[in-house]
Each structure stands twice: as structure tokens, then as C-alpha cells.
């Protein structure tokens, strides 16, 4: 029988790749959205534009429990992928507490409560984050490491996870979490550094821009490709028993390495175009968090396929195409 999935955050990077993956697997795909996505002029339409006719979008407000309930009862999804989030990591000083908590915690709470109260037989996946851990951990991070978030974003994710665990352990709900390390793609927002670089490479190549301003180019992360990560999300939902898994690559690379690969791919010398801007340096951004992916490798036979080099090529190729059309 054809399976049905419901994705929150379907218009985001991961939501869009996951939709494509599930459509390929012949799922019926529904998505919760916050705006009216039928408008042609809407900027955030771009990630789902090519397959929008194949999916079902429902406009809901994250606090509208009644509408969320009615929709879930109507859709009867076999699997719910809860990806909607405010994904900027606001450190405590800049925090807009209400917004981050509303979307990153209260929305999760509402969906879990609707599933429980209405006895909905579904599997629930929650997108956790490496930001649930501090950046003072010396070793690779596995599922047994103690959570100690340093950002409001990480705190909201942790709160969601604690609630998810209660629903799983107390009520037997099939609810799992993927603890996602950084992942990028041509569909990442340009406010994030790798996409900022790939889009700048394309603009410089076509003479639309002269330089790119960056902060700490020695800064390192465990970066993977979103296409690999959504496969892991799907695999997690296919398990008989719910469980939590670290999803990452286990390898670290620097911003500078990415810049070098990205500029090289467009036959440009990165050193000529980068300008260091001290105002872009982030405080408290010291040690990179690195994933230990042994559990997911062993239990789900998942591992990332797309290399860092190919991630850079994919992002630059896509931006070259995008800017060439303008
Ligand atoms: P994106 O920022 O690309 O997408 C976020 C999605 O959430 C969009 O669909 C957005 O809708 C929706 N959203 C944001 N705010 C609201 C709101 N107030 N009400 C309803 N919907 C809202 O994120 P990713 O796809 O990259 O990430 C997916 C998940 O994975 C997130 O939960 C994120 O926290 C988590 N994660 C991601 C990492 C990464 O490196 N990408 C790393 C660790 C965790 P709209 O299009 O309308 O803005």
C-alpha cells in the first residue's frame, strides 16, 4: 500500500530533498507551511518549485492546535518528519527567545500532543542538532555524550527531545531523533557561510561581484551533504523500534578548505577574492563538534556518500547555473 508522509519545514533545505526522496519511493507527500505557497513571487518557493504539483501543502499556524489536529486526522500520515525550525543559531546575547522557542519547542509539543491525544498511529522523526552539545567536547560526539547546549536554539531542541523521550517511553510512541551535524547543499540559505561562498564564486565569475567578506576562515565544522542526511532520516523511520542517531560525517574541514575547492572549481584563485572582516568573527565559536557515526553505520548501514569536494562542486555548479541565467 502507498505510504503517506507529512513533513513540517517542507520548504526548507532538508524538507525539499526529503520530499523528492519520498516521491521517488512512491510516498504521498504532504507538507505544513506557514505561507501561501501558490504565489509565484514568493522567494521561499524556489526549493519546491520543480515538484510542487506532486505534493500537498497545508497552511497552518504553529499554535493552531485544532487545525493541526484536523489535518493530521485527515492526512493520517504513516510517518511525520518534523523539520520546521528557526535554524539560525542565536547565541544568548542576541536571542529572540520567543521566536526560537515557539517554533523549535512549542510546535514539537503541539504535534506530539495531537498524536497522543488522538491515538494517531504514526512514526515521528524529529530533527535534533549538534548544537545540543557544548563545543568544549574533546572527542568525537556519540549518542552517549551529555547534552549541554550553549545557544537558545540548542536549548529548544533539547527541550523538544526530552518531551519526545517522555512520549516514547511513557506512551510507547514511535518517536525518534536524528542528531544532525552541519549539512549543506545548493539549497542552503546564502546567510550560511558555505552557500555564501558558492554564490559569491558564481557572482565573481560573472563579474557581478569583486570580493567576498568572511570572518574566521580557519573555523572548522563537520559538514555533510543534505541529500545524504535525508536518507538517514528515512532509514530511522523504517526501524521497528524508535531510537536516536547521530548523523554527520565524522570528518572536519575548514571554511578556507571549502573556499579553495569552490574557487578552484570555477578556475579562480581564492586568495585573490577573500577579504577578512573582523566584525564577522563569532564569539564562543571555538572547537568544532565532530560526529561519531558508528551507531548509525552499524545499525542502519548508513554512511555519507557525497564527499566534501563533491559538495563544493555541487554547490558551485548550481550557483553558476543560477547566476548565468540572470
Ligand atoms: P531550513 O532553514 O532550510 O528550513 C527551515 C524550515 O522551517 C522552512 O521550511 C521554514 O519555512 C520552516 N519554518 C521556519 N520558521 C517557521 C515558523 N515560524 N513556522 C512554520 N515553519 C517555519 O532548515 P534545514 O532544512 O537546513 O534544517 C531542517 C531541520 O534540521 C531543522 O529543524 C534544523 O534545525 C535541523 N538542523 C539543520 C542543520 C543544518 O546544517 N542544515 C544542522 C542541525 C540541525 P519557510 O520556508 O516558510 O521559511
Amino acid at each position: 500500500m502507498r505510504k503517506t508522509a507529512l513533513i513540517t519545514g517542507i520548504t526548507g533545505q532538508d524538507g525539499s530533498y526529503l520530499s523528492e526522496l519520498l516521491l521517488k519511493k512512491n510516498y504521498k507527500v504532504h507538507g505544513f507551511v506557514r505561507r501561501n505557497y501558490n504565489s509565484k513571487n514568493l522567494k521561499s518557493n524556489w526549493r519546491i518549485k520543480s515538484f510542487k504539483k506532486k505534493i500537498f501543502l497545508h497552511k497552518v499556524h504553529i499554535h493552531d492546535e485544532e487545525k493541526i489536529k484536523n489535518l493530521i486526522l485527515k492526512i493520517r500520515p504513516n510517518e511525520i518528519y518534523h523539520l520546521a525550525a528557526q535554524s539560525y543559531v542565536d547565541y544568548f546575547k542576541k536571542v529572540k527567545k520567543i521566536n526560537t522557542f515557539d517554533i523549535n519547542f512549542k510546535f514539537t509539543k503541539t504535534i506530539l500532543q495531537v498524536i497522543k491525544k488522538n491515538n494517531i498511529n504514526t512514526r515521528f522523526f524529529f530533527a535534533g542538532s549538534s548544537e545540543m552539545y557544548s563545543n568544549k567536547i574533546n572527542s568525537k560526539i556519540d549518542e552517549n555524550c551529555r547534552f549541554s547546549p550553549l545557544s537558545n536554539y540548542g536549548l529548544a531542541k533539547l527541550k523538544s527531545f526530552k518531551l519526545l523521550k517522555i512520549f516514547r517511553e511513557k506512551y510507547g510512541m514511535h518517536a525518534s531523533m536524528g542528531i544532525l551535524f552541519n549539512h549543506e547543499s545548493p539549497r542552503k540559505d546564502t546567510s550560511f557561510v558555505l552557500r555564501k561562498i558558492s554564490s559569491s564564486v558564481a557572482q565573481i565569475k560573472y563579474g557581478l561581484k569583486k570580493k567576498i567578506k568572511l570572518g574566521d576562515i580557519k573555523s572548522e565544522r563537520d559538514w555533510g551533504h543534505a541529500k545524504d542526511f535525508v536518507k538517514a532520516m528515512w532509514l530511522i523511520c523504517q526501524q521497528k523500534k524508535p531510537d536516536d542517531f547521530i548523523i554527520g560525517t565524522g570528518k572536519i574541514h575548514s571554511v578556507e578548505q571549502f573556499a579553495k575547492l569552490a574557487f578552484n572549481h570555477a578556475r579562480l584563485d581564492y586568495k585573490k577574492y577573500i577579504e577578512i572582516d573582523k566584525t564577522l568573527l563569532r564569539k564562543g565559536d571555538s572547537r568544532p563538534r565532530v560526529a561519531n557515526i558508528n551507531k548509525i553505520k552499524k545499525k542502519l548501514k548508513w554512511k555519507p556518500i557525497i564527499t566534501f569536494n563533491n559538495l563544493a562542486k555541487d554547490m558551485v555548479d548550481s550557483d553558476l547555473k543560477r547566476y548565468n541565467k540572470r
Side-chain angles (χ1 to χ4, degrees):
M1 222 183 60
R2 198 174 174 200
K3 278 189 180 176
T4 300
L6 169 64
I7 304 174
T8 72
I10 195 165
T11 51
Q13 169 187 258
D14 294 2
S16 63
Y17 281 119
L18 181 64
S19 300
E20 285 175 305
L21 177 78
L22 297 179
L23 285 171
K24 260 193 211 147
K25 293 185 184 293
N26 199 31
Y27 276 63
K28 227 178 180 185
V29 177
H30 292 257
F32 280 176
V33 290
R34 60 170 152 170
R35 298 187 186 101
N36 181 3
Y37 282 87
N38 292 320
S39 159
K40 277 187 187 153
N41 302 323
L42 207 66
K43 260 192 178 172
S44 22
N45 245 342
W46 65 282
R47 296 190 181 97
I48 55 166
K49 215 173 176 176
S50 63
F51 55 87
K52 216 180 80 186
K53 287 194 178 127
K54 297 183 189 160
I55 57 179
F56 304 89
L57 298 179
H58 311 274
K59 189 178 160 198
V60 282
H61 190 277
I62 56 168
H63 294 321
D64 191 345
E65 188 170 339
E66 192 57 23
K67 189 162 183 191
I68 293 174
K69 180 189 94 181
N70 290 337
L71 279 168
I72 295 182
L73 281 171
K74 198 170 147 205
I75 299 166
R76 294 257 160 215
N78 302 88
E79 292 155 24
I80 298 178
Y81 296 88
H82 179 38
L83 311 181
Q86 145 72 265
S87 59
Y88 294 92
V89 179
D90 284 334
Y91 284 84
F92 281 115
K93 269 193 224 159
K94 297 183 198 163
V95 150
K96 282 186 195 157
K97 266 193 178 161
I98 305 300
N99 286 341
T100 309
F101 257 87
D102 275 3
I103 174 73
N104 292 6
F105 173 64
K106 284 196 191 154
F107 195 21
T108 316
K109 185 174 164 197
T110 305
I111 298 174
L112 286 169
Q113 280 174 342
V114 163
I115 299 173
K116 155 83 181 57
K117 276 191 209 159
N118 299 284
N119 267 330
I120 294 166
N121 184 14
T122 189
R123 293 182 174 190
F124 180 83
F125 172 89
F126 172 67
S129 165
S130 57
E131 292 281 335
M132 291 157 71
Y133 302 100
S134 100
N135 57 5
K136 308 259 180 302
I137 300 172
N138 282 322
S139 54
K140 285 191 174 182
I141 296 173
D142 67 18
E143 292 78 1
N144 299 316
C145 280
R146 194 174 62 85
F147 294 117
S148 57
L150 297 174
S151 62
N152 203 43
Y153 167 85
L155 202 62
K157 290 279 183 188
L158 178 56
K159 236 181 136 189
S160 286
F161 172 60
K162 288 193 170 166
L163 194 72
L164 176 157
K165 255 192 122 182
I166 294 175
F167 279 81
R168 177 164 78 202
E169 285 166 12
K170 202 164 165 195
Y171 308 119
M173 194 184 280
H174 194 295
S176 306
M177 172 172 68
I179 307 163
L180 308 166
F181 281 60
N182 295 73
H183 49 287
E184 314 286 313
S185 75
R187 294 186 190 169
K188 190 91 171 187
D189 195 273
T190 49
S191 54
F192 290 85
V193 68
L194 300 198
R195 181 73 208 296
K196 177 178 170 181
I197 295 173
S198 68
S199 75
S200 298
V201 167
Q203 292 173 71
I204 290 168
K205 185 77 185 171
Y206 294 126
L208 303 168
K209 194 174 177 172
K210 288 203 163 82
K211 295 259 178 197
I212 171 174
K213 285 186 181 179
L214 294 172
D216 181 9
I217 58 170
K218 301 289 175 203
S219 173
E220 294 174 315
R221 291 282 182 281
D222 179 336
W223 274 299
H225 196 302
K227 269 190 184 174
D228 279 333
F229 281 46
V230 299
K231 285 183 197 157
M233 294 176 190
W234 177 76
L235 279 172
I236 290 173
C237 263
Q238 309 317 303
Q239 298 312 295
K240 264 198 173 156
K241 284 190 183 163
D243 201 355
D244 311 311
F245 294 89
I246 296 273
I247 309 174
T249 71
K251 293 175 185 152
I252 51 165
H253 293 96
S254 68
V255 171
E256 186 172 15
Q257 278 173 308
F258 184 86
K260 193 174 174 188
L261 289 168
F263 276 94
N264 271 354
H265 189 56
R267 297 179 197 284
L268 297 169
D269 176 2
Y270 79 105
K271 287 196 173 145
K272 285 188 189 161
Y273 303 101
I274 290 180
E275 207 174 284
I276 302 298
D277 179 350
K278 286 192 178 149
T279 62
L280 296 175
L281 296 174
R282 272 166 99 179
K283 276 190 183 159
D285 198 27
S286 51
R287 199 169 288 146
R289 302 171 181 91
V290 191
N292 174 338
I293 54 173
N294 287 342
K295 180 175 170 187
I296 193 162
K297 263 187 179 167
K298 204 170 156 201
K299 279 188 118 180
L300 308 190
K301 310 278 176 260
W302 177 89
K303 63 174 187 205
I305 305 294
I306 304 169
T307 61
F308 191 65
N309 195 357
N310 285 340
L311 170 69
K313 285 183 182 170
D314 189 23
M315 291 174 72
V316 172
D317 282 341
S318 161
D319 277 318
L320 285 171
K321 258 192 219 156
R322 182 165 291 136
Y323 283 96
N324 196 20
K325 278 188 204 150
R326 292 186 177 186

